[in-house]
Amino acid sequence: MHNFTLIKTKGDPGRTVNSLLAGLVEKELVQGVLTLAVGPFSSLPMPSLLCSIEQIKNSSPLAPAAGVSAAVHAARISRGPEKFRTAAVLRPCELRALVELAKLNQARLENLVLISMECPGRLENRRYLELRSEHPDLDVDYYLHPDLQAEASGTCLSCTDFIPEYVHLGICLLGLDLKQEIGISWHQEQGEELARVMEFVSGQESDSRRQAIKELEAARKNAWLNLQEKTAQEISTPEGLQKAIGDCLGCFNCQRACPVCFCRDCVSSREAFEQDPEELYDRGARKGSLRLPTDLTMFHLTRLAHMAHACVGCGQCSSVCPSRIPLADIFRTTGASTQEELGYRPGRSPDEPVPLVRFSEEKDT
Amino acid sequence: MNTQDNLKRHPGEETGQDLNVLALVCNWCTYTAADLAGVTRLKYPTQVKLIRFMCTGMIDVRYILRCFLEGADGVFIGGCHPGDCHYLSGNLKARVRIKGLRPVLEMAGIPEQRLRLSWIGASEGKKLQEELTGFTSEVRKLGPASFRQMHLV
Amino acid sequence: MNQNVRALVIGAGISGIRAALDLAEAGHSVLLTEKALAPGGLLLSLDRQFPDNHCGLCRILPGDITGRVWNACMRRGFGHPDIEYLPGVEVLDIQGTPGNLSALMNRRGLKVDPQKCTGCLECLKVCPVSQPYPLAPGLGQCKAVHPSAPHKPDNWLSINPDACTLCGKCMEVCPTGAIHAAEGNGPESMDKLSLAVLATGVEYFDPQLHNHLGCGHWPDAITSLDFERLISGVGPTRGVLRRPSDLGKVRKAAWIQCAGSRNLKLNADHCSGICCMIALKQALLAREKGMQCALFYMDLRTPGRNWQKYLNQAQQKGIRLIRCRPHSIVRDPGEDSLRIAYAPAPGEQRDENFDLIVFSVGRDPGYKLPAWAGQEGVIVTKGSERVLDIAGSLIAASAAAGRALRSFSDSCAQPGGEAYVSEHEHIHPSVLVVGGGPAGLSAALSLAEQKTQVVLVEKKDHLGGHAIKSMVPEVREQVLELRDKVQKHPEIEVLNEARLQSCTGPAGRFVARLLDARGHKREVKHGAAILACGTNPSRVETEDPRIINVFDLPEKLLSPDAPGNSSGRTVFILCSGTRREPADYCSKVCCQLALRQAIEIRRLNPESEVTIFYRDIIVQGDDEQLYTRARSDGVCFIPYLPEKPPVFQAGEKSVTVQGVDPYLKEDLQIEADRLILASGVIPESASDLARIFDIQSTEHGFLKEADVKYRPLDSVRAGIFVCGSGRNPVLAGEAVLEGEAAAQTALSWLARGRRNWPGSFVRVKTALCSLCAMCLQACPFKARYPDEHTGAMAVDALACQGCGACIAVCPNKASAWAGQEEEEMHELE
Ligand code: SF4
Ligand code: SF4
Ligand code: FES
């Protein structure tokens, strides 16, 4: 790859990224930065819109956590008029979600500088806090110690899409000595433009980097295949599905946390709470008893039917489920086959049309 | 709208039948074929209940899910041949949607043989009969769907 | 609603139904008579039609979702509140003056009351008559009382009055007394008719009567009409192809083209126009069932934008095309199949056996219109003069409806008036016509003569298009006359040298922005637009004055100093730029032009030699006579294969043309003084128009209609219509007809604005809509648009046809049925 350069880190890759982001604002390329930051009152790094250089320099763009998906917020911010241009630092999965949202008119990519990183995975929120109490420098240590990375969420550990695709600036972390340097790659016209202004000098990528990527790919792929198989085996029977979602509370957290679920008000949440007593009795009488809230199977299947093709595999649904339902496993497994059926890869490019309204004129089949 | 009246009939209600097969058919072609089958005395299985839609393109995937969850053992969707849809492309949309739905049904443990999409033109009363008969016997081989009795979450 | 027009439409085939619908939708009351019982005519026996090999008949219905109009497959029935359908009625005579005609009708024979009939079919057992089955005379016999149409229930019986002996046996056995002499049986007169449209269609050639190649003698040699029944799922064999003689399976079938057409011996110097396509379709359907198919033909006529592709498809699917007219059919003793003997080249004898032989029949050369068809006030559809395909028949029918109305336009319904659906949704009672060629001119004039305001925009500085330079004096005169009338008509504003820039707004309230001749901006509000852009000749790239584009020839032909005019050799190469990619369509106009020119060259100079290299001479109808004439005038015709087109080289003395002698299979060289190339036409402005009006265009850049068979002049957008060569190459006369038809279609649409329209069946719950625009992409009729005021999607009630695609695609049901909650749709209990 030609559009690649190395930047010295002086021990803290996060800080290097910070000054890069600050540079974007200083050079007036963007008005603000959306990235993770620990606020004065929060303990978790949370997506934040940072406008002051000082705040940007204190942010944690590489923190291995994602309290919520930043995609939704990037989308919202981008919907303003042109004068608000934002640099959004997103994980690859968040970036894919953002691209999906853009296709559905929920985001305007032209108002964003898209920055993403090679992602070794994120920790679940609780686990992040626990580990940080042991490793005060967790945001740096995480990248240096493979055993810390092994603590990442199950979804991440079986994620094969850890390299961002539709991006302007990529932060390269794999196969590098991050104490010394990080890599920056740039893509598309916008990326070229940024590289010119930021005066990046094209350099060579090392073999060790390529090797590291390959190794990670292999390990992830293996984990993913195992997970798929396990999910298909354990869940895809009527009983299996009932067992899996048996403890669903009907809190709709999964739907709210899902970055690609874009409806203003989910049809299922309306449905589950709009039945009148007569109806409930009627249904109860038919089967002897009625689980409340009702229609949760319908809810989950609807969500699958609506969103499986667009599932970017971020794992937020599993992370937020109080009943620990392996929602992401179900979604990703279903999504993989739906996406294959429809020849669709969510988040690859905003020019790839949403499959459910794209139909072939082909007469037979 | 008579779709609604039709939908109101509960597929799981006691019909004395071993199977509940729902056929969601388009008003223009397949329904005409069914009419024709009736007229020309071509019998199709009594387990099949026809539900008329204006077009297969208006069949929300949620209707299909609902049919299964409420106890259908098989769902048959019949529409105009590609190129024939009264609304130009409704059938093509149905085709994509159903393609995308199949993995969801699989995850729910509903084998793909329980959902069939078929194009039946207005003059194909014979094909309607064959398709419905074939479909019903395939569903019979699978036996009643388990969602039918199950106490669902 | 203005009901002072009382129209009579004779014949309830698709032409008659179309004309009746056009009249009724424009707000007039219509009587529709049909000799048979069931409406549908020939279409009742055609289950599948080219070019998609499926049906789609229902799409001729007006897309009215208010429930006034029949809204299901027309094979099951038909109804419209303003159309009174009179089955079993034959019109014998029409007299009077336009505006006050009276018709003599005959209600014929016995009738079976479908209300009383139980379908026990006792009557069939006692009826002593045996007649050829009306829908498929070659496929056996039936009683005088028989099911009325393939799709009709058993209690829909007809009695063929021509076969019925009035013996009364059926009446005796009928348990419910359903059979009775029709009330008012016998002649009856109907007065005070404003106008009449004759839409009975033509009669088809019966090869049996002429003992054509032994047809009639061999049961397995049938007509193409019989074949339709044989392959129909509701036909006598339920769609399994069997030999009529012994019900043996058909493995091999042959089609013999031009039975009763293009035959001077039968006095049939015409081409029936669509039999080639019918044969290709039938062969394709048979091929689907695994049959081997061969087609014997002289020229495969696939004129226009679409049919070349169809032919390619047939060839890909393995249908054999044999260019030759078979000379005999025999059955060898001991064989089940028939043997066709033919001579593909002089002196080369071949024969081959087939299980089934199909004669492609067209218009009966003896067919004549009834005498009263010439009566003033009676308009005859083109489809009753010659055979037309479905789209052609419908176009002709709409045009006829328009002509009929114009024949006494004073009492016609007045557009304007209370043109309201609701306060917000009226249709602006005016039409924008784009393009001032024959189609545009005739559309503008028909509209204006029916009191509709028209703005006609034309790119060039004059009206009339290429047709004003036509070689055919009648065409020139017709177009010039149209032009004069258009220029003088007070309802028409002509904008020459205008450039269209955009057209926005929901259906019926369009606003077009354009620059006029002086470069000033103009806004034109209109309720409908007719896009009638034409085509331009494709260029022939050469400096050599001896190499001429067929479209430039007329002028050069008339000038005395034109090269090679006095003597010498002229060579034409037809299809030199078309019927192969990147222009894989037929331009339709070149063949007849070349024939006319060849005849003219020979007339001007009997010494000269004219040679025409051609793939297929594609002329239809009576233009066949040009072909006949050219041959008898000594023009030499040499067919070539697309893979081996003639090549030419301009030398000093002559242009050398090199081809292949089709019979000797040898190279052949002609030193020509003049080479004329038919390079075809290209739709230059069509794709721009398509973009401006947000409709589709084809891969070759033609305007695309909503449905190539049944809605040929509608676009997918309500209120936007297409016609003329920019849609599909046509001759000038046909363009005029299309213009009139488009005008009529537009008028029906404008009339919708005067009716009480209930609003759409779908609505958008604005608070739920996230503007994802999935519905916008799913709506086949472009009836949805983002509404700036609500910040949500909105539905264009007048364009919506209630298909529900938007609802199915909307994930959270922000898009919903108007009268219904989503939850109700799911209430299965
Ligand atoms: S699909 Fe539904 S949510 Fe999306 S724009 Fe249409 S009405 Fe609104
Ligand atoms: S998609 Fe919706 S708006 Fe468009 S025609 Fe169908 S029902 Fe009407
Ligand atoms: S109308 Fe039959 S599928 Fe659309």
Side-chain angles (χ1 to χ4, degrees):
Chain A
M1 201 205 295
H2 295 299
N3 299 337
F4 177 81
T5 194
L6 289 169
I7 301 183
K8 294 269 168 276
T9 52
K10 296 179 204 123
D12 187 344
R15 275 200 181 279
T16 316
V17 176
N18 280 349
S19 22
L20 192 88
L21 296 172
L24 291 175
V25 177
E26 279 161 352
K27 294 214 159 79
E28 291 183 8
L29 293 167
V30 296
Q31 279 70 51
V33 172
L34 172 73
T35 188
L36 294 177
V38 181
F41 305 111
S42 65
S43 43
L44 275 170
M46 283 295 189
S48 315
L49 175 63
L50 308 174
C51 299
S52 84
I53 302 285
E54 196 196 326
Q55 293 292 344
I56 295 172
K57 289 205 163 147
N58 274 326
S59 66
S60 333
L62 298 184
V68 293
S69 174
V72 184
H73 304 287
R76 179 142 321 142
I77 286 174
S78 75
R79 281 161 78 172
E82 197 123 352
K83 63 175 183 187
F84 297 120
R85 240 170 94 83
T86 315
V89 187
L90 303 169
R91 286 175 191 289
C93 53
E94 293 169 335
L95 181 66
R96 289 195 295 276
L98 178 68
V99 169
E100 282 305 289
L101 290 174
K103 288 180 197 170
L104 296 161
N105 269 343
Q106 310 300 303
R108 293 176 56 192
L109 296 185
E110 59 272 26
N111 286 345
L112 293 172
V113 170
L114 301 173
I115 303 175
S116 187
M117 77 277 284
E118 289 164 356
C119 173
R122 66 171 168 85
L123 298 163
E124 297 290 5
N125 293 342
R126 278 292 126 218
R127 193 71 191 126
Y128 177 84
L129 293 179
E130 283 163 18
L131 286 174
R132 200 176 56 188
S133 61
E134 296 162 24
H135 305 258
D137 246 352
L138 181 61
D139 293 0
V140 178
D141 291 353
Y142 182 77
Y143 293 93
L144 304 179
H145 301 296
D147 45 327
L148 282 176
Q149 288 173 18
E151 300 272 344
S153 82
T155 310
C156 294
L157 289 178
S158 55
C159 167
T160 51
D161 294 324
F162 50 85
I163 299 204
E165 259 185 277
Y166 191 80
V167 69
H168 300 142
L169 293 183
I171 302 170
C172 307
L173 304 170
L174 295 173
L176 293 171
D177 179 0
L178 298 180
K179 284 255 182 220
Q180 300 293 326
E181 56 194 8
I182 59 167
I184 301 288
S185 63
W186 54 96
H187 313 261
Q188 308 176 44
E189 239 171 77
Q190 290 219 42
E192 303 266 356
E193 174 71 33
L194 290 169
R196 208 170 34 249
V197 181
M198 306 295 284
E199 295 168 5
F200 293 149
V201 191
S202 246
Q204 276 298 316
E205 278 188 79
S206 62
D207 282 343
S208 65
R209 236 178 86 64
R210 247 169 259 141
Q211 188 57 30
I213 293 176
K214 236 193 230 145
E215 272 166 27
L216 188 58
E217 239 160 32
R220 292 284 182 81
K221 184 139 198 202
N222 198 15
W224 169 222
L225 290 177
N226 287 341
L227 182 88
Q228 253 179 310
E229 202 185 295
K230 182 169 157 257
T231 313
Q233 249 169 33
E234 284 176 10
I235 298 180
S236 62
T237 60
E239 295 75 17
L241 181 76
Q242 290 303 307
K243 252 187 228 144
I245 62 171
D247 291 339
C248 175
L249 313 178
C251 65
F252 297 104
N253 273 357
C254 50
Q255 177 258 320
R256 261 169 240 149
C258 174
V260 285
C261 250
F262 65 94
C263 285
R264 283 222 179 151
D265 190 4
C266 180
V267 63
S268 299
S269 61
R270 303 204 296 276
E271 182 174 78
F273 294 107
E274 276 171 16
Q275 281 140 340
D276 56 36
E278 220 167 303
E279 238 173 87
L280 293 176
Y281 256 100
D282 205 43
R283 294 177 68 179
R286 231 178 347 105
K287 283 189 178 168
S289 66
L290 186 63
R291 157 78 150 80
L292 298 171
T294 61
D295 286 312
L296 295 175
T297 310
M298 187 66 188
F299 161 64
H300 290 291
L301 290 181
T302 296
R303 238 172 69 67
L304 275 173
H306 283 173
M307 282 345 239
H309 71 273
C311 173
V312 293
C314 67
Q316 287 289 355
C317 44
S318 282
S319 297
V320 298
C321 181
S323 294
R324 294 178 182 264
I325 299 172
L327 287 155
D329 299 352
I330 299 176
F331 252 84
R332 289 170 67 213
T333 308
T334 314
S337 13
T338 306
Q339 290 158 18
E340 195 185 319
E341 281 275 337
L342 301 173
Y344 183 69
R345 278 258 315 283
R348 176 159 48 183
S349 146
D351 304 324
E352 199 174 333
V354 178
L356 296 185
V357 282
R358 181 191 57 172
F359 45 84
S360 87
E361 298 259 355
E362 214 175 285
K363 303 274 141 127
D364 358 86
T365 36
Chain B
M1 256 260 82
N2 18 25
T3 15
Q4 184 206 351
D5 297 344
N6 278 327
L7 268 177
K8 280 199 162 172
R9 281 192 279 158
H10 170 48
E13 81 200 340
E14 287 316 313
T15 48
Q17 298 288 4
D18 61 335
L19 292 174
N20 295 312
V21 175
L22 289 179
L24 318 183
V25 300
C26 121
N27 168 54
W28 299 91
C29 281
T30 313
Y31 190 72
T32 308
D35 206 44
L36 181 73
V39 163
T40 47
R41 311 215 159 86
L42 294 169
K43 294 226 159 44
Y44 54 82
T46 46
Q47 289 87 346
V48 179
K49 275 198 214 83
L50 284 190
I51 301 180
R52 186 165 61 98
F53 282 80
M54 285 313 273
C55 173
T56 53
M58 69 175 270
I59 299 178
D60 190 338
V61 287
R62 282 165 37 91
Y63 298 160
I64 303 172
L65 292 174
R66 185 63 90 182
C67 290
F68 282 119
L69 295 188
E70 294 290 328
D73 302 305
V75 176
F76 180 92
I77 296 177
C80 309
H81 285 273
D84 257 14
C85 170
H86 185 74
Y87 308 101
L88 311 177
S89 54
N91 46 3
L92 306 181
K93 286 167 201 151
R95 176 164 75 188
V96 185
R97 261 173 226 150
I98 284 171
K99 224 171 166 197
L101 183 68
R102 291 214 179 268
V104 178
L105 293 182
E106 195 188 311
M107 185 53 75
I110 300 167
E112 65 170 345
Q113 297 92 316
R114 290 198 192 269
L115 174 64
R116 184 184 286 189
L117 173 67
S118 180
W119 309 134
I120 300 174
S123 52
E124 299 180 322
K126 189 88 196 298
K127 180 169 179 196
L128 179 104
Q129 180 198 35
E130 286 164 7
E131 284 282 304
L132 284 179
T133 315
F135 180 64
T136 310
S137 66
E138 201 161 307
V139 170
R140 178 168 296 114
K141 267 187 240 148
L142 295 170
S146 15
F147 282 138
R148 199 155 135 196
Q149 291 91 16
M150 216 181 268
H151 171 114
L152 290 187
V153 173
Chain C
M1 189 111 290
N2 188 324
Q3 291 267 353
N4 56 11
V5 172
R6 201 155 158 256
L8 173 67
V9 177
I10 305 146
I14 50 164
S15 292
I17 293 180
R18 175 76 271 158
L21 280 172
D22 281 338
L23 292 163
E25 285 290 301
H28 309 298
S29 84
V30 184
L31 295 169
L32 175 62
T33 66
E34 167 59 47
K35 234 163 53 166
L37 183 61
L42 194 58
L43 246 290
L44 284 178
S45 55
L46 303 185
D47 289 356
R48 298 167 70 180
Q49 316 104 26
F50 63 84
D52 54 12
N53 295 357
H54 284 296
C55 189
L57 173 59
C58 57
R59 290 202 283 261
I60 79 171
L61 292 169
D64 181 325
I65 47 175
T66 57
R68 310 159 57 237
V69 180
W70 178 263
N71 225 0
C73 175
M74 291 173 70
R75 294 176 196 277
R76 293 162 63 204
F78 169 72
H80 188 289
D82 299 325
I83 299 176
E84 188 183 342
Y85 176 55
L86 305 172
V89 168
E90 190 178 16
V91 173
L92 304 174
D93 194 13
I94 295 186
Q95 287 184 338
T97 50
N100 189 15
L101 296 170
S102 67
L104 187 64
M105 326 217 216
N106 192 10
R107 289 182 195 264
R108 316 183 330 150
L110 297 173
K111 272 217 184 134
V112 185
D113 182 352
Q115 236 82 61
K116 287 193 190 149
C117 173
T118 60
C120 70
L121 304 187
E122 286 299 317
C123 49
L124 260 68
K125 292 183 194 146
V126 300
C127 179
V129 181
S130 169
Q131 58 156 349
Y133 184 58
L135 280 176
L139 294 182
Q141 304 278 312
C142 71
K143 297 296 173 90
V145 48
H146 58 90
S148 63
H151 289 79
K152 296 289 179 268
D154 280 348
N155 59 349
W156 267 61
L157 296 172
S158 325
I159 299 175
N160 179 357
D162 297 328
C164 174
T165 59
L166 293 174
C167 70
K169 291 219 171 80
C170 52
M171 292 170 76
E172 284 161 26
V173 296
C174 178
T176 59
I179 306 177
H180 53 90
E183 283 129 51
N185 226 354
E188 175 192 328
S189 149
M190 176 99 53
D191 301 325
K192 296 224 173 62
L193 297 165
S194 327
L195 55 96
V197 175
L198 175 70
T200 44
V202 304
E203 269 155 28
Y204 283 81
F205 176 70
D206 184 350
Q208 284 195 31
L209 289 181
H210 297 268
N211 192 17
H212 183 78
L213 281 176
C215 183
H217 189 66
W218 311 115
D220 296 342
I222 62 175
T223 69
S224 45
L225 298 179
D226 294 340
F227 182 84
E228 291 292 344
R229 298 318 304 143
L230 201 60
I231 200 161
S232 164
V234 278
T237 53
R238 289 255 153 95
V240 185
L241 279 181
R242 294 185 183 285
R243 276 196 300 256
S245 61
D246 60 355
L247 295 183
K249 267 212 150 187
V250 177
R251 286 188 194 83
K252 245 178 118 181
W255 277 257
I256 298 179
Q257 294 307 100
C258 306
S261 311
R262 301 186 67 190
N263 188 329
L264 293 180
K265 267 188 245 147
L266 293 169
N267 203 10
D269 198 5
H270 66 259
C271 161
S272 290
I274 62 165
C275 332
C276 285
M277 289 296 289
I278 295 181
L280 286 176
K281 176 202 75 176
Q282 295 181 340
L284 275 166
L285 295 186
R287 193 85 191 106
E288 253 177 38
K289 304 196 177 214
M291 233 113 319
Q292 288 182 41
C293 303
L295 220 118
F296 292 90
Y297 74 104
M298 299 193 284
D299 295 277
L300 251 167
R301 296 189 163 164
T302 53
R305 182 191 96 191
N306 296 313
W307 295 356
Q308 178 64 35
K309 251 208 257 145
Y310 195 70
L311 172 60
N312 300 346
Q313 182 195 343
Q315 280 179 298
Q316 276 158 20
K317 295 255 161 87
I319 288 162
R320 279 164 59 211
L321 302 175
I322 305 169
R323 181 174 232 148
C324 154
R325 195 163 216 173
H327 52 73
S328 63
I329 298 174
V330 289
R331 170 180 247 150
D332 294 325
E335 285 276 353
D336 312 332
S337 52
L338 295 169
R339 181 157 59 85
I340 295 185
Y342 62 102
E348 196 183 330
Q349 276 300 329
R350 291 221 193 128
D351 48 23
E352 194 172 338
N353 280 42
F354 293 94
D355 296 307
L356 188 71
I357 293 172
V358 183
F359 286 103
S360 291
V361 295
R363 185 183 87 205
D364 185 348
Y367 166 73
K368 276 199 191 57
L369 287 166
W372 48 266
Q375 165 74 35
E376 214 192 327
V378 177
I379 306 292
V380 180
T381 64
K382 262 272 167 318
S384 299
E385 290 172 352
R386 48 178 280 199
V387 184
L388 293 175
D389 66 349
I390 292 169
S393 309
L394 297 177
I395 290 169
S398 294
R403 279 192 192 174
L405 285 170
R406 282 155 75 196
S407 69
F408 72 119
S409 70
D410 282 349
S411 50
C412 279
Q414 303 252 345
E418 353 133 43
Y420 286 98
V421 173
S422 73
E423 268 181 55
H424 311 289
E425 305 203 67
H426 71 278
I427 295 182
H428 200 278
S430 72
V431 181
L432 177 75
V433 177
V434 185
L441 287 176
S442 87
L445 191 64
S446 331
L447 290 162
E449 289 189 352
Q450 294 185 60
K451 301 200 164 42
T452 305
Q453 273 178 28
V454 178
V455 177
L456 174 64
V457 296
E458 164 61 48
K459 250 195 334 202
K460 301 220 186 75
D461 59 357
H462 66 273
L463 297 178
H466 299 291
I468 43 174
K469 291 185 294 182
S470 167
M471 261 193 88
V472 194
E474 303 86 73
V475 169
R476 267 196 323 265
E477 275 154 33
Q478 186 185 19
V479 176
L480 288 175
E481 190 190 325
L482 270 176
R483 186 177 77 176
D484 284 349
K485 284 192 178 161
V486 163
Q487 278 166 341
K488 287 196 198 109
H489 206 289
E491 299 276 9
I492 305 177
E493 182 186 2
V494 178
L495 297 174
N496 277 325
E497 290 179 86
R499 263 174 304 142
L500 258 176
Q501 300 194 301
S502 68
C503 173
T504 50
R509 286 160 289 148
F510 303 112
V511 183
R513 292 185 182 78
L514 50 87
L515 295 180
D516 67 12
R518 281 167 298 156
H520 293 170
K521 282 194 183 137
R522 268 281 303 264
E523 270 193 15
V524 181
K525 285 204 182 105
H526 56 283
I530 296 180
L531 311 185
C533 66
T535 48
N536 287 325
S538 27
R539 275 164 285 276
V540 169
E541 305 292 348
T542 174
E543 300 279 289
D544 194 322
R546 295 166 301 178
I547 301 176
I548 305 169
N549 189 337
V550 75
F551 296 102
D552 297 334
L553 189 61
E555 291 164 51
K556 299 194 177 164
L557 198 61
L558 298 177
S559 80
D561 53 342
N565 207 6
S566 46
S567 66
R569 294 198 185 92
T570 305
V571 172
F572 287 80
I573 301 178
L574 300 186
C575 305
S576 77
T578 45
R579 297 183 68 203
R580 55 163 181 255
E581 288 304 349
D584 199 7
Y585 53 83
C586 158
S587 300
K588 197 167 183 182
V589 284
C590 331
C591 279
Q592 55 92 31
L593 197 56
L595 290 175
R596 285 179 204 277
Q597 292 169 356
I599 293 170
E600 188 67 5
I601 293 170
R602 291 280 299 157
R603 192 185 63 81
L604 288 173
N605 191 342
E607 303 292 291
S608 61
E609 282 173 31
V610 180
T611 307
I612 297 184
F613 284 96
Y614 71 103
R615 276 173 68 181
D616 297 275
I617 294 288
I618 300 186
V619 286
Q620 293 175 298
D622 292 340
D623 280 351
E624 174 68 19
Q625 289 160 18
L626 292 171
Y627 191 16
T628 312
R629 164 97 192 271
R631 274 178 314 192
S632 68
D633 280 1
V635 176
C636 169
F637 287 85
I638 304 179
Y640 71 86
L641 294 171
E643 52 281 10
K644 272 213 137 191
V647 289
F648 56 88
Q649 174 118 49
E652 220 160 89
K653 286 218 191 86
S654 59
V655 182
T656 312
V657 182
Q658 218 152 22
V660 182
D661 186 307
Y663 300 125
L664 304 174
K665 310 268 189 287
E666 281 167 5
D667 281 354
L668 166 148
Q669 192 163 318
I670 301 176
E671 301 300 329
D673 298 300
R674 170 161 69 175
L675 172 65
I676 296 157
L677 298 176
S679 55
V681 296
I682 36 177
E684 274 180 344
S685 39
S687 31
D688 274 347
L689 271 192
R691 190 180 36 75
I692 290 174
F693 287 89
D694 191 16
I695 62 171
Q696 292 149 305
S697 55
T698 69
E699 51 181 324
H700 296 122
F702 290 97
L703 295 171
K704 199 166 170 189
E705 58 293 274
D707 172 35
V708 74
K709 279 189 294 193
Y710 291 103
R711 293 175 65 200
L713 304 184
D714 295 72
S715 74
V716 288
R717 285 189 70 192
I720 310 246
F721 306 92
V722 291
C723 65
S725 286
R727 174 187 83 92
N728 186 24
V730 280
L731 304 179
E734 295 166 330
V736 169
L737 205 71
E738 285 198 3
E740 289 172 19
Q744 216 45 43
T745 321
L747 283 169
S748 298
W749 156 254
L750 293 185
R752 194 172 271 196
R754 298 193 302 277
R755 204 174 292 133
N756 208 355
W757 203 252
S760 176
F761 271 90
V762 297
R763 66 180 170 131
V764 178
K765 300 180 181 174
T766 47
L768 294 177
C769 173
S770 44
L771 271 176
C772 67
M774 296 236 270
C775 53
L776 199 118
Q777 296 174 59
C779 176
F781 304 110
K782 310 209 171 197
R784 298 178 77 88
Y785 60 94
D787 184 335
E788 281 152 28
H789 304 299
T790 58
M793 283 293 159
V795 189
D796 191 336
L798 284 160
C800 170
Q801 298 204 12
C803 71
C806 52
I807 299 177
V809 84
C810 181
N812 72 340
K813 302 297 159 253
S815 186
W817 293 109
Q820 202 170 21
E821 286 304 317
E822 171 62 14
E823 293 71 33
E824 290 174 29
M825 291 293 286
H826 282 269
E827 267 175 34
L828 295 154
E829 284 86 342

